Amino acid sequence: MSRRVAIVTGASSGIGEQTALALKKEGYEVYAVARRLDRMQGLADQGVHVFAMDVTDDASMTAGIARVMEERGRIDVLVNNAGYGSYGALEDVPIDEARRQFEVNVFGLARLIQLVTPHMRAAKQGRIINVSSIGGKFYEPMGSWYHATKFAVEGLSDSLRIELRPHGIDVVIIEPGPIRTEWNQTSRDNLVATSRDGAYAEQAETVRRVLESGDSRRRSSPPEVVARKIVKAAVSSSPRARYPVGKGAGTLMTARKLLPDVAFDALVRRVYS
Ligand code: NDP
């Protein structure tokens, strides 16, 4: 039988890169995709198939999935990992940037699911692993668009889990806590560029500092930790609906579950003041 095939988006750095390597080690035929092809040379050197894909470009996604089917004839696992943090006061974020945030974090993910499910349904098996965040359950000031996308990924994945079950396709949500990747710096840069001046300048500086402190070794985990969890979700005979992963993720999710809004708001306000 041919080897199981996995596709990993956002594989040019961080969680996606480590996940591509970990799945390769697990024995999968791995396709790693992102916009920056040059940043995936290291993966290619280790036997991972790499090609460019922009998850905001329909033609690029359609051609990518067709290519994998042509070369391998099967897709067993899709890891929807590409994403970034569009931070800034909601009032300051241009609505086109908010749309772009949804294009990358939600519509790209959903479009790829549309493209792989016909093949998974035909095979009566498959696994879709969506990288959400603890930010799909908790919230921060200046992060409304990012959190809106991750809350959307949670709702979409929960509905889809029930919808695809009769077709033999599992849907799994990964909820990382703070992970040391390029994500944090990108989010901080977006925040500063958007709300550095004006009515929200002081709040923006506070949130920037909190984000930065979350990037420290003491508070965050390396991306390999998430990659291991994704492999577990890929190979488990009965995967869980969601896997919180990384320092503090489990505790925070439990607190969000147990605390009423007023108490959780107070907690968030305390951290971000
Ligand atoms: P990185 O910034 O290191 O990686 C993000 C990846 O997404 C890159 O490979 C980038 O590739 C890709 N990407 C961004 N835009 C696009 C696009 N339009 N088309 C295709 N690929 C794109 O961050 P992480 O590894 O940390 O992030 C991976 C996922 O994990 C994201 O969904 C993020 O929200 C989530 N997450 C991260 C946490 C963290 O603390 N780091 C915590 C919780 C969740 P390229 O630019 O080459 O296209």
Side-chain angles (χ1 to χ4, degrees):
M1 206 171 90
S2 60
R3 290 217 289 188
R4 289 166 301 165
V5 174
I7 304 176
V8 182
T9 71
S12 60
S13 82
I15 294 169
E17 183 177 15
Q18 292 306 320
T19 299
L21 285 174
L23 285 168
K24 169 82 187 153
K25 278 200 193 103
E26 190 64 31
Y28 284 83
E29 203 71 65
V30 179
Y31 283 80
V33 301
R35 291 168 305 176
R36 291 169 298 174
L37 198 51
D38 56 314
R39 289 281 305 263
M40 296 190 287
Q41 188 53 49
L43 289 177
D45 292 344
Q46 300 198 54
V48 172
H49 309 281
V50 304
F51 63 85
M53 181 186 287
D54 183 341
V55 300
T56 67
D57 177 356
D58 202 280
S60 145
M61 289 186 279
T62 307
I65 298 303
R67 171 180 170 168
V68 177
M69 281 309 292
E70 214 174 277
E71 290 181 8
R72 304 286 153 201
R74 61 188 289 177
I75 296 171
D76 299 271
V77 176
L78 167 66
V79 182
N80 265 320
N81 164 74
Y84 75 100
S86 182
Y87 275 68
L90 185 130
E91 194 181 321
D92 293 338
V93 177
I95 212 72
D96 278 345
E97 166 51 27
R99 287 198 179 96
R100 201 179 100 76
Q101 172 77 130
F102 265 86
E103 282 294 338
V104 176
N105 291 12
V106 181
F107 294 114
L109 164 150
R111 181 65 185 129
L112 282 170
I113 293 171
Q114 286 184 330
L115 290 166
V116 301
T117 42
H119 308 297
M120 290 181 172
R121 275 192 301 100
K124 296 189 174 56
Q125 63 99 30
R127 199 154 290 182
I128 292 164
I129 301 178
N130 290 333
V131 178
S132 173
S133 168
I134 51 168
K137 286 281 169 50
F138 102 111
Y139 39 88
E140 309 155 288
M142 307 276 143
S144 41
W145 286 116
Y146 179 66
H147 290 285
T149 63
K150 292 302 186 183
F151 274 59
V153 168
E154 297 271 333
L156 180 150
S157 307
D158 282 335
S159 294
L160 198 64
R161 189 172 57 254
I162 313 290
E163 189 172 304
L164 291 182
R165 185 82 183 262
H167 301 280
I169 303 169
D170 298 305
V171 178
V172 180
I173 304 168
I174 305 292
E175 298 172 322
I179 307 298
R180 287 190 298 282
T181 67
E182 294 171 14
W183 180 93
N184 197 298
Q185 184 68 53
T186 306
S187 304
R188 284 181 346 241
D189 290 350
N190 287 338
L191 170 61
V192 170
T194 308
S195 291
R196 174 181 31 211
D197 305 313
Y200 299 92
E202 215 174 291
Q203 281 167 280
E205 175 49 25
T206 307
V207 174
R208 191 199 64 74
R209 264 190 279 114
V210 176
L211 283 174
E212 192 174 45
S213 71
D215 214 15
S216 69
R217 286 190 161 267
R218 197 163 62 82
R219 299 237 169 95
S220 62
S221 309
E224 289 84 345
V225 168
V226 186
R228 280 199 291 275
K229 197 65 92 175
I230 291 175
V231 170
K232 184 176 177 186
V235 302
S236 164
S237 56
S238 52
R240 297 200 332 231
R242 42 181 39 82
Y243 293 86
V245 53
K247 272 181 201 157
T251 317
L252 192 70
M253 301 307 252
T254 307
R256 180 64 194 115
K257 232 182 235 172
L258 297 179
L259 293 176
D261 287 346
V262 66
F264 200 78
D265 272 12
L267 193 76
V268 175
R269 264 205 307 274
R270 187 142 31 94
V271 174
Y272 291 85
S273 63

